[in-house]
Structures are given as structure tokens and as C-alpha cells.
Amino acid sequence: MTEAVKTPKIPPEEQELLTINGDEAVAYAVKQSLVDVVAAYPITPQTIIVEKFSEFVANGEVHTEFVPVESEHSAMSAVVGAAAAGARAFTATAANGLALMWEILYIAASLRLPIVLAVANRALSAPINIHCDHSDAYGMRDSGWVQLFVENVQEAYDTTIQAFKIAEDERVLLPVAVNLDGFFLSHTLENIRLLPDEKVHEFLGGYRKVPKVKVDYFDEEVPLMLNPARPLSFGPLDLYDYYFEHKMHQVEAMKRVPEVVREVNDKWYELTGRKYGDGILVPYEVEDADIVVTVLGSTAGTVRHVVKKLRREGKKVGMVRIRMFRPFPHEELAKLLKDAKVVGVMDRGISFGSYGPSFLEINTALYDYKEKPLLVNYVYGLGGRDAPPELIEKMFEELLKDAEKGVVENKLRFLGVRE
């Protein structure tokens, strides 16, 4: 949900109004972000992003090196090389393409390269399915990337620009994935506001600034990048004597991410008049709610619509949209949920043989509270199945009955599936 500011530095009338889909919104954001290198391989529903961006390149509207590669593994490898050489680098993918990047995702994060990746979320095969769920994004959650989920096309544009700012902050220096629901956002037209190019350049501080490090054998500070004139090694053999300590650097970097995400969200708010909760979580009507539902992505709009309806009927319900999934905001979310009677956790994916990934995180978040809500996991929308208001309302009614009984008989439920 977008919150409005009274007096943004750039009022809405000075922001260009365009009717575009989510993929095009990401392409425009990348165009304005002074990206040096884009490498990509097409896959539905992401393809429009790099198609649109390739038009910008062909028309001479950007000075980006566009690398059409033969696979997603190569796309991520190319942007790793570019980012290691000091470039601002971007790629995009979905589902099986993201799975093919798996090996290199870990390398990008471990080398602390501030790459931005757009993921147009799509179900993984088999059976082959090109529509939305979050199985692809959930699969990369342990790779060391920051993961942000957007609710609408405007947020896809805003968050892609923010992602470069977050990734390149010297307190972070980690890659960032921007997740937008396949087809629900990637192919859906909405009216959005774009900033003037120069304002995006100012927000990002111009082209990427590579941090410097002191290197003893040079006896000076040098940019932390591949440079034949000042040769440095990236990712050399690192066995039991130092590997563990290097992993701890990633752990510590992740701890600093929430602070930076909040700062960037606040600066964007001052500039544009748009913010998304505190940048991490977007709560709605949770203060006195007996029933709270958590959700990621575009379904949040439908859930909010149902919460408004049920509130008018006098039912004490609320919702929290989780915008940042990695690092997961355990403490912040627990504070919002701890006083509810029942929490319904919506997952557009499942860990087979277990629960949905969000449910496992929220269980962990609430475990140490002596008094805590009952938890129910709703797996929904696999393979792009719709979640209309009637279905969401049915979920809330079940949760209200759970609250009356004071007990949950079935923690794992499947919403909208044939029996």
C-alpha cells in the first residue's frame, strides 16, 4: 500500500504519468539507474523486461553494455564478472531460469557484489506452468541475497531503483532481488508515476562508486574491483582455515540491511511522496485485531480489500504485508502479531513435507513469547490459481472460528484447491 506525503520534493504533477505493465516499469527503472551492464536470457513472464531494455539500448537512449547470453547461468555469471570489475549490473529471470542461476547466486552474494535481479515470480516445473507462485523466490532464500516483494506496478518501479541504493550501500554490499508476481504484475497495465531521469541519478549518487580498501602490497587504498593495474583476487580457494570467518561477514552484512532499507524507504518518501510501511513490513488495521493475516506480493491488495469489508461488519481483523523476506524481520513482525488471537500465514509456495516458508519463519519469530497467537498456514495460489475476495473472506471466517474455539485442529490448510 502506498502512503502519501504532504509535500514531496517532486510533486506528482512533475512526475511523468505512464500506463505500463510491471515488466516495463522495471525496465524504465533500470534505464534511469545508470546501469553499465545488463546480461539476460529470455523466459516468460520476465521477457518483457529485457526486451524493453534492449529497445532502449538499440535506440541509443542508454549507454549500457547489453549481453545476450545463451542461458540464465551465463547471465548471472556475466553480471558477476561485470560487478566485480566495478560496473553497476542488472539481470532478470523467473522460475526455471532462476533455478539455472542457483550456483552463481551463491557466488554473487559471497563476493559481496551489489547486483540487482528482477524475478517475475513463476511456478517451477513439473508440470510446466508459466504462471505465478513464489516457489522460485523461496528456493533462493538461503543464497545470501536480500529479497524484496512488491504489491503493484508502481512499487515495482520504485523498488528497482531503491534496490541499487540498498545493494551499493557500503554497510550492505549484497545483491538484491526484486520480486514481482508473474502476470498479476508483470503483464498488468497500471498508471504509475516516473521521476525525471536526473532526479533518479541524484538519488543514486550517479554511477556506481566502488569502495576502496587498503592493500598492503600496494601500500595504498585501491578500488575493490578487478583492475589489471592494481590486481586483486576474488573468490580464491578458502578452506577450513578462513571460510567460516568469511561466511560470518555475510551474516553481519545481513544484520545491517534493515537499517539501510528503512533509510532508503524514508528518502524515497521525501523525494516522491511514496513509501511502503517502514520499507520492511506494511501493516494494516493490526492494532486491535484478533485475527491477522500475513502475505507477500500482489495478493496483499485483495486481502486489504477483504479486511476493509470485514471491519465495516465489526470484525476485528487486520493484515501485514511482508515486503522484505530476506533478511527476515523476525522481531519486528513478532511485535505486530503477538497480541492477536490467531495469525493466518499465507504462502504462495510450500516446502514439501513441511510447511510454507513464511510459516516456518513466523513460528520461529513467536516461539519465545510466553503468550502468543495460534498459527495457521494457508498454502494458496500455486501455479497462478486465483485468490479472489470470496476465497480470502472464507479464510478469515475460518480463522474467526478458530479464535472462538481457542484451538487449531489443522495447522496446514490448502486454500482454493479441489478436494
Side-chain angles (χ1 to χ4, degrees):
M1 183 179 183
T2 304
E3 299 178 22
V5 66
K6 292 179 181 176
T7 54
K9 292 178 181 176
I10 308 173
E13 58 270 22
E14 295 180 18
Q15 301 180 35
E16 184 179 7
L17 179 63
L18 284 183
T19 303
I20 55 178
N21 63 42
D23 277 357
E24 291 172 321
V26 171
Y28 273 99
V30 176
K31 175 193 174 191
Q32 295 182 307
S33 295
L34 299 173
V35 172
D36 300 294
V37 175
V38 171
Y41 187 81
I43 182 169
T44 303
Q46 167 286 125
T47 304
I48 297 171
I49 297 175
V50 290
E51 275 184 350
K52 189 68 183 175
F53 193 82
S54 68
E55 292 176 13
F56 297 144
V57 175
N59 294 338
E61 298 177 60
V62 293
H63 302 290
T64 304
E65 185 70 27
F66 188 89
V67 187
V69 291
E70 73 278 17
S71 74
E72 287 84 356
H73 188 281
S74 298
M76 184 52 68
S77 298
V79 293
V80 162
R88 181 172 287 160
F90 171 85
T91 186
T93 193
N96 301 40
L98 182 59
L100 192 51
M101 289 181 172
W102 237 244
E103 176 190 9
I104 314 302
L105 291 175
Y106 282 77
I107 293 172
S110 300
L111 295 180
R112 307 286 302 278
L113 298 174
I115 296 162
V116 171
L117 163 69
V119 181
N121 299 119
R122 164 183 153 178
L124 285 160
S125 302
I128 294 174
N129 183 301
I130 61 170
H131 291 281
C132 174
D133 69 35
H134 295 158
S135 304
D136 53 2
Y138 282 154
M140 69 178 290
R141 67 187 186 272
D142 298 330
S143 64
W145 285 61
V146 176
Q147 289 181 284
L148 303 173
F149 284 76
V150 305
E151 180 181 337
N152 53 45
V153 173
Q154 180 70 68
E155 191 177 356
Y157 168 79
D158 293 345
T159 305
T160 302
I161 296 170
Q162 293 177 13
F164 289 106
K165 187 87 169 171
I166 295 164
E168 294 173 13
D169 190 293
E170 291 191 17
R171 291 167 290 178
V172 175
L173 290 178
L174 289 170
V176 177
V178 178
N179 292 275
L180 63 156
D181 286 351
F183 290 100
F184 292 114
L185 298 182
S186 65
H187 287 60
T188 301
L189 292 174
E190 292 182 14
N191 290 336
I192 74 164
R193 299 274 181 183
L194 268 64
L195 295 187
D197 290 353
E198 64 275 13
K199 297 302 180 183
V200 176
H201 301 169
E202 289 174 16
F203 178 77
L204 293 175
Y207 286 95
R208 180 186 165 198
K209 309 289 189 303
V210 179
K212 291 185 175 181
V213 292
K214 178 70 183 297
V215 180
D216 291 341
Y217 56 83
F218 292 136
D219 195 26
E220 63 176 335
E221 286 192 337
V222 299
L224 182 61
M225 56 185 278
L226 297 174
N227 177 5
R230 292 287 187 274
L232 300 173
S233 294
F234 281 70
L237 187 66
D238 189 10
L239 302 180
Y240 46 75
D241 45 358
Y242 282 110
Y243 181 89
F244 203 162
E245 284 73 19
H246 284 134
K247 294 295 106 179
M248 291 307 296
H249 290 173
Q250 290 176 250
V251 171
E252 293 302 317
M254 273 290 185
K255 289 180 181 177
R256 296 188 287 270
V257 171
E259 175 187 3
V260 175
V261 172
R262 288 191 187 95
E263 288 178 7
V264 171
N265 187 55
D266 289 343
K267 288 176 181 174
W268 192 254
Y269 181 52
E270 294 171 5
L271 186 66
T272 68
R274 297 186 293 273
K275 68 185 298 188
Y276 304 97
D278 66 351
I280 296 170
L281 297 169
V282 187
Y284 181 72
E285 299 280 15
V286 298
E287 292 79 9
D288 64 341
D290 292 332
I291 309 297
V292 179
V293 165
T294 68
V295 65
L296 290 84
S298 63
T299 309
T302 310
V303 176
R304 191 177 298 106
H305 167 78
V306 173
V307 167
K308 287 179 183 176
K309 177 178 183 292
L310 296 178
R311 279 278 171 176
R312 287 195 296 271
E313 296 172 5
K315 296 170 182 173
K316 296 168 71 173
V317 300
M319 62 162 282
V320 180
R321 176 163 72 90
I322 301 169
R323 185 171 185 251
M324 185 180 77
F325 187 73
R326 277 292 181 274
F328 195 85
H330 294 98
E331 291 184 12
E332 298 89 341
L333 188 54
K335 288 177 183 174
L336 290 171
L337 301 180
K338 64 182 176 59
D339 295 324
K341 293 180 180 176
V342 184
V343 171
V345 181
M346 296 184 72
D347 270 302
R348 201 164 204 147
I350 185 170
S351 177
F352 296 103
S354 183
Y355 294 88
S358 292
F359 180 80
L360 298 174
E361 299 289 351
I362 293 172
N363 233 330
T364 302
L366 291 167
Y367 181 80
D368 289 332
Y369 281 88
K370 190 173 181 181
E371 301 291 332
K372 52 198 168 195
L374 300 169
L375 287 182
V376 184
N377 191 191
Y378 283 93
V379 173
Y380 78 103
L382 301 187
R385 182 155 299 181
D386 200 11
E390 299 76 19
L391 198 64
I392 303 297
E393 189 168 344
K394 175 190 171 190
M395 175 186 66
F396 271 107
E397 296 297 344
E398 285 183 1
L399 294 170
L400 285 163
K401 289 178 183 175
D402 291 329
E404 286 178 9
K405 291 188 289 186
V407 63
V408 169
E409 295 174 352
N410 180 11
K411 278 191 174 184
L412 179 59
R413 300 172 186 174
F414 297 90
L415 194 62
V417 68
R418 298 184 191 93
E419 295 181 354

